[in-house]
Amino acid sequence: MICDGELTPSQLRRLEGIVQVKVIDRTALILDIFAQHARSREGKVQVELAQLQYMLPRLRGWGESLSRQAGGRVAGGGGIGTRGPGETKLETDRRRLRARIARLKRDISGMSTGRKVQRGQRRRGDVPSVVIAGYTNAGKSSLLNALTGAGVLVEDALFATLDPAVRRAVTPSGRGYTLTDTVGFVRHLPHQLVEAFRSTLEETAEADLILHVVDGSDPEPEAQLAAVRGVLAEIGAVHVPELVVVNKIDSADPVVLQGLRAREPGSLSVSAKTGAGLAALRDAIEAALPRLDVQVKMVVPYRRGDLVARAHAEGEVLAAEHVAEGTRLEARVPASLAAQLQAAALDDCVQVQA
């Protein structure tokens, strides 16, 4: 028997006593689906942590052999008032679960540190970060593949993606950014999962832009939008700019799409399957990315062609012309690269004067 809602331990016990079959609530079902799709070590650790946190308050014994209190000879001759075997077993199980939970949290903390280091390296390189978020099975992985050719797993199933995939993408003007595929959200996402996957969801909270993917073929896309925004608020990502992307328009009801566009002005309609609307999406991503701070206009000597190449790779080149002294460059670049370009131009001027 499956209940669409989270049951307390006492409700679970009483229902099982009435119906005489195993009772599973919504949280247990979602956790089981997550466990089936966990592939990487981090994904498996996060799912196990969520499962143990869910199980801990629900441990119980069955029958007289696991009674919580027993006296006299029932408790092995310990006398009246001593704790029975049921109490001892429950305490042992709880102690083991708490020790395992503590170990898993330490493991996740170590993995989170590694991810923070990687994010820090991208930040130092002034590489913008775009995260694909949305309801489960909305086509996020398909969109990642369509934009980057990543080749990640695409499956018509709930929670097919548990491990965030980070790929490099390029805007139409040649500016690089990272595109991250994240775990799908769902209505009333269990708080155990939010806690266990918090280190993974940090990618969303620290992004420069969120591509909020909605399944346009779903009969109630507004419910998906509300559920995902609720989770984004829970993980502290409401401050991140959001671009709503309505996917699967090739199989969507035109009336539903029209209503969704009216309620979400500025949204884009695409099909990751057919490629429709992807060019407009790439342009919208480029327009939404944070602008680079420093605009430079100078002549870079030919011997520093490496800096000109970096300006093309890391910045936005507005104009480039080859003259006798070097490359006349006008571009928007990160502050660190701007300083190197200015130093190279100044060094060339000093050499000419000498």
Side-chain angles (χ1 to χ4, degrees):
M1 177 178 173
I2 301 177
C3 297
D4 186 14
E6 184 169 347
L7 301 176
T8 65
S10 60
Q11 289 173 331
L12 204 60
R13 286 195 299 269
R14 294 175 71 179
L15 266 178
E16 286 182 343
I18 294 171
V19 299
Q20 294 299 309
V21 295
K22 184 173 181 63
V23 177
I24 299 175
D25 64 3
R26 178 187 180 85
T27 301
L29 179 63
I30 292 176
L31 290 174
D32 186 69
I33 297 174
F34 265 65
Q36 292 177 32
H37 288 96
R39 296 289 182 270
S40 69
R41 177 174 177 267
E42 183 174 12
K44 292 177 180 178
V45 168
Q46 290 171 321
V47 171
E48 184 182 357
L49 174 60
Q51 288 178 319
L52 294 182
Q53 289 175 328
Y54 172 78
M55 287 171 54
L56 184 59
R58 290 167 175 81
L59 284 179
R60 60 191 186 277
W62 292 99
E64 294 181 359
S65 63
L66 296 179
S67 60
R68 294 186 58 83
Q69 284 291 338
R73 296 184 181 179
V74 180
I80 297 175
T82 59
R83 290 184 288 185
E87 183 112 15
T88 303
K89 185 178 188 309
L90 286 174
E91 287 182 347
T92 302
D93 290 343
R94 288 192 182 112
R95 186 161 53 250
R96 288 174 178 169
L97 255 64
R98 290 191 182 101
R100 180 65 177 164
I101 287 172
R103 180 177 178 179
L104 292 174
K105 285 183 176 180
R106 288 195 298 269
D107 291 345
I108 290 176
S109 177
M111 298 171 189
S112 176
T113 301
R115 191 178 292 106
K116 287 179 180 177
V117 171
Q118 293 176 348
R119 281 201 300 268
Q121 291 173 344
R122 294 197 295 265
R123 291 298 183 189
R124 282 195 294 274
D126 295 294
V127 179
S129 171
V130 179
V131 167
I132 303 175
Y135 210 79
T136 182
N137 207 29
K140 298 183 295 300
S141 298
S142 298
L143 189 62
L144 175 72
N145 289 341
L147 290 173
T148 66
V152 299
L153 170 69
V154 173
E155 190 176 344
D156 186 13
L158 301 179
F159 307 112
T161 301
L162 291 187
D163 309 308
V166 183
R167 297 292 185 271
R168 185 179 185 275
V170 180
T171 65
S173 67
R175 184 182 179 191
Y177 64 95
T178 60
L179 194 60
T180 304
D181 187 15
T182 61
V183 62
F185 300 150
V186 70
R187 178 175 57 89
H188 304 317
L189 189 67
H191 67 275
Q192 291 94 344
L193 279 174
V194 175
E195 287 301 319
F197 281 77
R198 187 168 293 278
S199 62
T200 301
L201 296 174
E202 286 174 355
E203 294 280 351
T204 306
E206 298 188 15
D208 295 304
L209 175 67
I210 294 176
L211 293 186
H212 185 163
V213 182
V214 185
D215 183 356
S217 64
D218 189 87
E220 295 182 356
E222 293 85 1
Q224 289 192 7
L225 283 164
V228 172
R229 283 169 176 162
V231 178
L232 291 176
E234 192 171 351
I235 63 175
V238 292
H239 65 284
V240 182
E242 175 193 61
L243 177 60
V244 176
V245 181
V246 182
N247 194 19
K248 303 185 183 180
I249 60 172
D250 53 300
S251 57
D253 184 346
V255 177
V256 174
L257 285 178
Q258 186 176 0
L260 192 57
R261 292 191 189 103
R263 281 184 286 273
E264 293 292 334
S267 63
L268 294 176
S269 300
V270 304
S271 172
K273 182 178 180 180
T274 65
L278 291 183
L281 175 59
R282 290 188 176 96
D283 292 336
I285 292 174
E286 181 171 26
L289 289 178
R291 306 306 302 174
L292 298 171
D293 295 334
V294 182
Q295 183 167 340
V296 295
K297 189 174 183 180
M298 62 184 63
V299 176
V300 183
Y302 285 121
R303 60 186 175 80
R304 294 312 309 268
D306 59 316
L307 294 180
V308 177
R310 283 184 58 191
H312 282 278
E314 301 175 18
E316 183 181 356
V317 176
L318 304 177
E321 180 185 0
H322 298 295
V323 296
E325 298 82 8
T327 304
R328 180 176 288 118
L329 186 70
E330 183 178 357
R332 293 192 186 96
V333 294
S336 57
L337 180 56
Q340 295 180 50
L341 286 167
Q342 290 170 350
L346 180 62
D347 182 57
D348 189 61
C349 290
V350 171
Q351 291 183 8
V352 171
Q353 291 175 359

